[in-house]
Amino acid sequence: MLEKALVGSKRYWLWLGVLIAIIGVAFIQYLRQYGYGLGLTGLSRDVSWGLYIGQFTFLVGVAASAVMLVIPYYLHDFKKFSKIVILGEFLAVSAVIMCILFIFVDMGQPTRIMNVVLNPTPNSVMFWDFIVLSGYLILNIVIGWTTLAADRKGVRPPQWVKPLIYLSIPWAVSIHTVTAFLYAGIPGRHFWLTAVMAARFLASAFAGGPALLIILALLVRRFSKFDPGQEAIQAVGKIVTYAMFANVFLLGLEFFTAFYSNIPGHMHPFKYLYTGLEGHGKLVPLMWTSSVMALVSLVLLVFPGLRRNENILAFACISLFISLWIDKGFGLIIGGFIPNMFEGVTEYWPTGPESMITLGVWAVGFLVLTVLYKVAVSVREETAGMPDNH
Amino acid sequence: MSMNRRQFLKIAGVSTVLGIGGGTVVTGLRRTGLEASQVSPDPRALKAKRWGFVVDVSKLKTDEDYQKCVDACHGIHNVPDIGNPKDEVKWIWKDTYERTFPTTSEDEHMNKELKEKKFLLFCNHCAQPACVRVCPTKATFKRQDGVVMQDMHRCIGCRFCMAACPFGARSFNYRDPRGVDASGRPFIRKENPQFPTRMIGVVEKCTMCYERLAIGQQPACAEASNGAILFGDLDDPNSEVRKVISSTFTIRRKPELGTQPSIYYVIGGTEHA
Ligand code: SF4
Ligand code: SF4
């Protein structure tokens, strides 16, 4: 089926060209970082994780969100998702690939990555994260590819994928739970030491991932003859709305506990993020942008009348996605490091090369996504009008 | 692989070369040759169930007193002086009361002398170390005598341990420690050929002078401290450290986090303290 990715319109090739150019520039920056060291980034002794790990965390959420389509379709036989579900699975594949790349570019000694497998360490959450992410990647490639191949031939997918599909559901939850445990089990970082961390991660994932999917589905419909289905898109919109409310609610819980208890260690990171601390407030404008965009998206999503208008829906989804990207892809990680272990403030801001490398990883993700979607869309265009068999 | 390695460490008593990084084995061999301690236990080696320190800051009077300890450690361990706080590498350093004990310092009426008191900070070699718990490769591990080790050859530079250590004891080599700064000055001013240098992209920290313990010497900071830093077995009720701890008021950093630091601080100084 991969040959489908090799034929395309001029626009398709132009888009791929742009992505490859970005990847090329980013790769050169990465080589610089590899030679000079991570000192090329804005990271420091006090803020030792930053943009890369933030993006990693955010994208694990995007990857996990495929489950929001898989559950209704495969468990509840919600037929309207028959066409869109493949988009979710392929989005998960490209998101996990980005996750792995972000870990890779963040490592001081990337050539030693196999040490994680050679010296399995079950007490390390990172070891488990490595396992569940690789497993999830394989699951989604296998499931997406076989169901699509079966579709193309107009037959049912082979029996053996069904158990894999069911397995992928708890597995999706596990990848994001384990990722939350990276943070939520660390003593001394008050901002992260919260039992609702995993719940919040899942809520924001199930809002942000499907929001991205809506945007992608609308784009696919615009640029191809494949229609994921208006009703499917609306149903996903509903999921986004509920999940976003849950997410904002959970964030509210964090605020309550921090400020009502009045424990300084719990309040400081929030103060740093939203008002600035000891005269340092680099993240304040970003965090408020995130809050405003979250609010805007909620207002637009909560009224079914507004949501039904696809332009408004698209706008709300973009707003929500950016909001969560800031909140989880940036603020959540940096907030854990400020104030530092000495209650002092060392600020962090990504450098140019660091941002370029980040952009490059996203470009790889979009490249993979474009190719996979191209295949899926071409198959769907071929089989348009044929009944669904699974 | 890991077991063999661990057993080897045990047999060797202390791992003069391997512990600090197999990557430097070659350098180590070239420069110093194998020592007896690497193949059989050195009869001089100091042994304990759980090593620990008592740092009596009332005995550290001048800036020089502090600096002597810092220089002793950084000098023999080839700790690079990168020259900027962002990429800084340090194993032991001087800091204020407020920064040393941040959870107890929210006090506007605090004793002025205490507020101005300086402390010596280094890895606590915690009994329940958070860093060891999170490391995905066992590059940081706890020895049976309580030393929290760092294998700079195995470390992948993920920096999970830096996020996890509540004491900011760990440094990452953001730059090549064997390199030079913009004006050509080497980060390691004067290299000690007896001890390996590290490479770019790995985490490092105080390793309790394991290489000195192996040949019967006290940690360098203790030796340079003029009696301000005591070193001994916390599990031995007759050790000097235990005698001080049982007879004097001591505090540890962030004990509420349950890592069980092995450094006890004596503040002393005023009669009421
Ligand atoms: S002080 Fe930090 S680095 Fe040292 S043992 Fe404790 S947790 Fe680990
Ligand atoms: S940076 Fe090195 S020592 Fe620290 S957790 Fe990662 S592999 Fe272990």
Side-chain angles (χ1 to χ4, degrees):
Chain A
M1 284 189 294
L2 209 52
E3 74 281 357
K4 300 249 174 274
L6 298 178
V7 283
S9 63
K10 226 185 194 159
R11 203 166 44 197
Y12 171 69
W13 288 111
L14 190 70
W15 169 239
L16 290 190
V18 169
L19 290 176
I20 289 169
I22 296 175
I23 296 168
V25 177
F27 187 69
I28 293 169
Q29 295 299 328
Y30 179 70
L31 289 181
R32 264 184 76 200
Q33 178 189 298
Y34 189 80
Y36 182 92
L38 279 153
L40 201 62
T41 66
L43 296 170
S44 61
R45 198 177 187 279
D46 284 338
V47 184
S48 44
W49 282 341
L51 190 57
Y52 297 152
I53 294 295
Q55 298 300 293
F56 155 77
T57 309
F58 178 74
L59 285 163
V60 174
V62 172
S65 71
V67 76
M68 284 287 108
L69 304 178
V70 171
I71 291 179
Y73 181 61
Y74 287 105
L75 286 191
H76 299 286
D77 209 22
F78 188 66
K79 288 280 184 241
K80 296 199 178 83
F81 277 179
S82 66
K83 289 183 180 147
I84 205 170
V85 79
I86 186 75
L87 298 186
E89 282 156 356
F90 282 167
L91 175 61
V93 171
S94 71
V96 179
I97 289 173
M98 284 190 264
C99 289
I100 292 171
L101 283 175
F102 273 119
I103 291 287
F104 194 78
V105 297
D106 186 69
M107 284 171 64
Q109 284 291 335
T111 54
R112 294 183 187 165
I113 189 148
M114 278 304 144
N115 279 5
V116 178
V117 198
L118 293 174
N119 310 291
T121 313
N123 49 276
S124 172
V125 182
M126 198 172 278
F127 164 73
W128 290 109
D129 217 21
F130 190 88
I131 305 275
V132 290
L133 277 175
S134 331
Y136 193 66
L137 178 63
I138 296 167
L139 272 179
N140 274 287
I141 292 179
V142 171
I143 294 170
W145 203 255
T146 34
T147 48
L148 193 66
D151 252 22
R152 189 183 178 200
K153 299 197 196 98
V155 298
R156 291 176 148 276
Q159 273 304 314
W160 56 263
V161 276
K162 265 279 152 74
L164 291 186
I165 290 170
Y166 293 139
L167 179 65
S168 80
I169 294 169
W171 204 289
V173 176
S174 84
I175 60 168
H176 218 24
T177 306
V178 173
T179 304
F181 286 174
L182 286 177
Y183 309 104
I186 287 179
R189 302 232 178 246
H190 298 291
F191 191 57
W192 295 341
L193 192 70
T194 158
V196 298
M197 183 69 98
R200 217 181 120 196
F201 268 33
L202 288 168
S204 62
F206 296 158
L212 177 61
L213 199 74
I214 291 180
I215 302 166
L216 291 172
L218 291 173
L219 285 174
V220 163
R221 192 168 65 190
R222 181 129 175 220
F223 290 114
S224 79
K225 286 193 267 337
F226 169 52
D227 183 1
Q230 196 210 342
E231 276 175 83
I233 291 176
Q234 284 299 324
V236 180
K238 228 177 272 169
I239 294 173
V240 172
T241 312
Y242 282 119
M244 188 60 178
F245 268 104
N247 177 49
V248 171
F249 174 69
L250 288 167
L251 180 63
L253 298 185
E254 299 278 17
F255 271 98
F256 173 80
T257 301
F259 287 93
Y260 194 80
S261 71
N262 200 40
I263 297 175
H266 287 275
M267 295 188 292
H268 286 161
F270 287 98
K271 284 191 178 159
Y272 171 71
L273 291 176
Y274 290 94
T275 64
L277 192 66
E278 295 169 15
H280 302 279
K282 265 191 196 159
L283 260 58
V284 175
L286 265 184
M287 294 313 285
W288 283 105
T289 310
S290 168
S291 307
V292 170
M293 291 183 105
L295 209 69
V296 168
S297 68
L298 276 180
V299 169
L300 295 179
L301 285 172
V302 73
F303 299 109
L306 290 176
R307 195 167 70 211
R308 241 169 260 138
N309 177 328
E310 277 184 0
N311 288 329
I312 294 182
L313 180 67
F315 181 80
C317 285
I318 292 172
S319 173
L320 182 146
F321 187 78
I322 297 175
S323 164
L324 289 179
W325 181 81
I326 295 172
D327 182 48
K328 199 167 164 190
F330 204 63
L332 182 94
I333 304 304
I334 315 305
F337 288 99
I338 301 175
N340 59 25
M341 288 309 185
F342 314 96
E343 286 290 315
V345 177
T346 305
E347 291 203 276
Y348 160 84
W349 197 257
T351 59
E354 193 178 0
S355 312
M356 194 59 227
I357 292 169
T358 303
L359 201 65
V361 175
W362 276 93
V364 173
F366 273 107
L367 187 78
V368 173
L369 189 73
T370 308
V371 168
L372 290 176
Y373 273 23
K374 177 76 178 47
V375 172
V377 165
S378 308
V379 169
R380 286 298 147 85
E381 280 173 344
E382 261 176 31
T383 61
M386 277 166 47
D388 293 311
N389 277 310
H390 57 93
Chain B
M1 155 98 189
S2 128
M3 267 329 280
N4 293 342
R5 194 185 187 88
R6 216 40 79 70
Q7 277 159 356
F8 174 73
L9 295 188
K10 235 196 285 172
I11 293 163
V14 176
S15 61
T16 306
V17 171
L18 267 184
I20 205 74
T24 46
V25 162
V26 182
T27 357
L29 286 175
R30 199 184 61 221
R31 291 192 189 157
T32 58
L34 274 171
E35 284 174 28
S37 68
Q38 288 158 259
V39 284
S40 66
D42 188 316
R44 293 169 298 171
L46 302 183
K47 293 190 185 68
K49 285 221 185 73
R50 179 186 168 198
W51 288 120
F53 297 88
V54 170
V55 179
D56 185 345
V57 289
S58 70
K59 294 196 178 131
L60 292 165
K61 301 232 159 23
T62 61
D63 280 352
E64 220 171 279
D65 292 342
Y66 290 88
Q67 202 54 44
K68 258 197 246 158
C69 301
V70 175
D71 290 345
C73 168
H74 287 184
I76 63 166
H77 293 125
N78 296 322
V79 176
D81 174 10
I82 307 287
N84 72 61
K86 187 175 103 59
D87 303 328
E88 182 179 32
V89 177
K90 56 186 177 187
W91 286 21
I92 176 169
W93 67 99
K94 182 177 81 171
D95 223 325
T96 62
Y97 176 81
E98 283 178 326
R99 287 172 55 87
T100 309
F101 303 98
T103 37
T104 55
S105 63
E106 305 261 345
D107 181 0
E108 58 204 285
H109 306 305
M110 196 173 42
N111 173 310
K112 187 162 167 285
E113 202 177 322
L114 186 56
K115 204 169 176 163
E116 282 161 10
K117 195 74 215 166
K118 297 286 191 295
F119 291 76
L120 269 179
L121 280 67
F122 48 107
C123 169
N124 282 291
H125 296 273
C126 307
Q128 300 285 335
C131 55
V132 171
R133 193 153 63 233
V134 302
C135 176
T137 63
K138 305 188 186 83
T140 185
F141 59 93
K142 194 163 181 63
R143 292 198 327 192
Q144 264 169 3
D145 60 358
V147 180
V148 174
M149 287 294 293
Q150 181 71 17
D151 181 338
M152 282 83 156
H153 183 53
R154 184 181 286 191
C155 172
I156 60 174
C158 66
R159 307 189 297 293
F160 200 4
C161 55
M162 290 177 81
C165 168
F167 306 99
R170 298 179 156 262
S171 307
F172 180 71
N173 284 290
Y174 283 102
R175 306 277 313 265
D176 183 358
R178 297 163 188 159
V180 294
D181 68 9
S183 57
R185 177 185 69 84
F187 293 136
I188 302 171
R189 295 261 167 83
K190 194 170 158 293
E191 190 180 323
N192 169 19
Q194 308 288 335
F195 197 82
T197 55
R198 274 75 64 191
M199 66 196 310
I200 202 168
V202 298
V203 166
E204 61 180 74
K205 69 169 193 78
C206 153
T207 45
M208 215 191 249
C209 287
Y210 70 93
E211 79 285 3
R212 291 170 58 90
L213 304 184
I215 52 171
Q217 293 174 341
Q218 294 257 318
C221 60
E223 195 180 82
S225 72
N226 233 334
I229 301 178
L230 298 178
F231 178 71
D233 189 349
L234 291 174
D235 274 0
D236 173 6
N238 297 316
S239 68
E240 211 182 337
V241 285
R242 274 290 289 277
K243 282 185 191 142
V244 176
I245 294 166
S246 60
S247 62
T248 324
F249 175 72
T250 56
I251 47 172
R252 292 187 292 173
R253 295 169 66 197
K254 302 185 183 174
E256 71 278 10
L257 298 180
T259 67
Q260 299 285 357
S262 303
I263 303 178
Y264 289 76
Y265 290 93
V266 176
I267 297 179
T270 65
E271 271 172 29
H272 314 288

